[in-house]
């Protein structure tokens, strides 16, 4: 990755009211499916929603406590695993970071998480890619597979970096 860009980047952090609405919606969905939205799960999702950008697990661990105390790593990793399984958090493998899903519709698991990652400034954007349009779903079905989740990562340069760099 190059040195940080000298241009402004979009602020993808969510406002407090939106964060509360999403947290409540995820909790209601968990309850409806017989699962619990524990305090650690809620806190990790809250951190990701307010960050508005991918966050590394060790940064979540450091930011976890409301009074500045770090969490125990298993607490954060278990919460991330649960949230990722539910489809509300995605792991971006190429940058070893997690991000809250930008789609908060009825069936979060019905889409492939597709990320555009700028190799210059590090900004990311989640774009909607329905599984049906990938052809991967049909190929998996023909092979006898049931896809649980898909993450696609595209690297390049964002529009701002292309025009300023």
């Amino acid at each position: 990755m190059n040195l940080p860009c000298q241009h402004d980047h979009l602020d993808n952090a969510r406002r407090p009211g939106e964060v509360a609405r999403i947290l409540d919606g995820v909790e209601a969905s968990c309850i409806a499916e017989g699962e619990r939205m524990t305090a650690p799960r809620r806190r990790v999702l809250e951190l990701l929603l307010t960050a508005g950008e991918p966050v590394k697990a060790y940064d979540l661990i450091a930011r976890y406590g409301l009074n500045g105390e770090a969490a125990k790593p298993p607490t954060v990793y278990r919460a991330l695993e649960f949230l990722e399984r539910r489809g509300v958090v995605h792991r971006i493998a190429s940058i070893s970071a997690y991000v809250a899903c930008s789609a908060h519709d009825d069936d979060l698991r019905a889409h492939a998480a597709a990320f555009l990652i700028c190799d210059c400034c590090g900004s990311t954007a989640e774009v909607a890619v329905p599984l049906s349009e990938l052809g991967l779903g049909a190929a998996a079905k023909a092979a006898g597979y049931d896809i649980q989740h898909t993450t696609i990562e595209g690297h390049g340069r964002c529009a701002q970096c292309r025009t300023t760099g």
Side-chain angles (χ1 to χ4, degrees):
M1 196 175 294
N2 299 336
L3 294 174
C5 295
Q6 300 302 313
H7 58 80
D8 292 330
H9 297 99
L10 296 175
D11 181 11
N12 293 324
R14 291 171 173 90
R15 299 193 192 298
E18 183 182 7
V19 169
R21 182 185 56 75
I22 293 169
L23 288 169
D24 291 344
V26 171
E27 184 164 9
S29 174
C30 288
I31 291 168
E33 294 182 21
E35 301 208 53
R36 290 182 44 220
M37 184 65 161
T38 63
R41 293 169 179 172
R42 189 175 179 94
R43 177 65 179 148
V44 168
L45 181 55
E46 177 186 25
L47 289 170
L48 289 170
L49 289 167
T50 56
E53 63 184 2
V55 181
K56 295 186 181 292
Y58 61 82
D59 290 328
L60 290 170
I61 291 166
R63 297 177 195 170
Y64 182 87
L66 297 174
N67 297 324
E69 70 275 2
K72 293 182 179 168
T75 301
V76 170
Y77 281 107
R78 280 193 294 263
L80 287 167
E81 180 183 319
F82 173 83
L83 295 167
E84 189 175 9
R85 184 170 32 89
R86 300 257 337 138
V88 296
V89 166
H90 301 296
R91 181 175 184 273
I92 304 176
S94 64
I95 60 173
S96 298
Y98 295 85
V99 64
C101 182
S102 64
H104 291 284
D105 54 18
D106 292 333
D107 191 359
L108 293 170
R109 298 172 213 164
H111 77 284
F115 293 94
L116 305 176
I117 304 160
C118 182
D119 290 327
C120 179
C121 69
S123 68
T124 62
E126 183 175 357
V127 293
V129 181
L131 275 174
S132 60
E133 291 183 19
L134 288 178
L136 184 60
K141 186 175 182 176
Y145 281 82
D146 178 27
I147 296 176
Q148 299 299 309
H149 70 276
T150 302
T151 304
I152 301 165
E153 300 177 27
H155 285 264
R157 291 175 71 108
C158 69
Q160 288 179 309
C161 289
R162 284 192 353 261
T163 59
T164 61

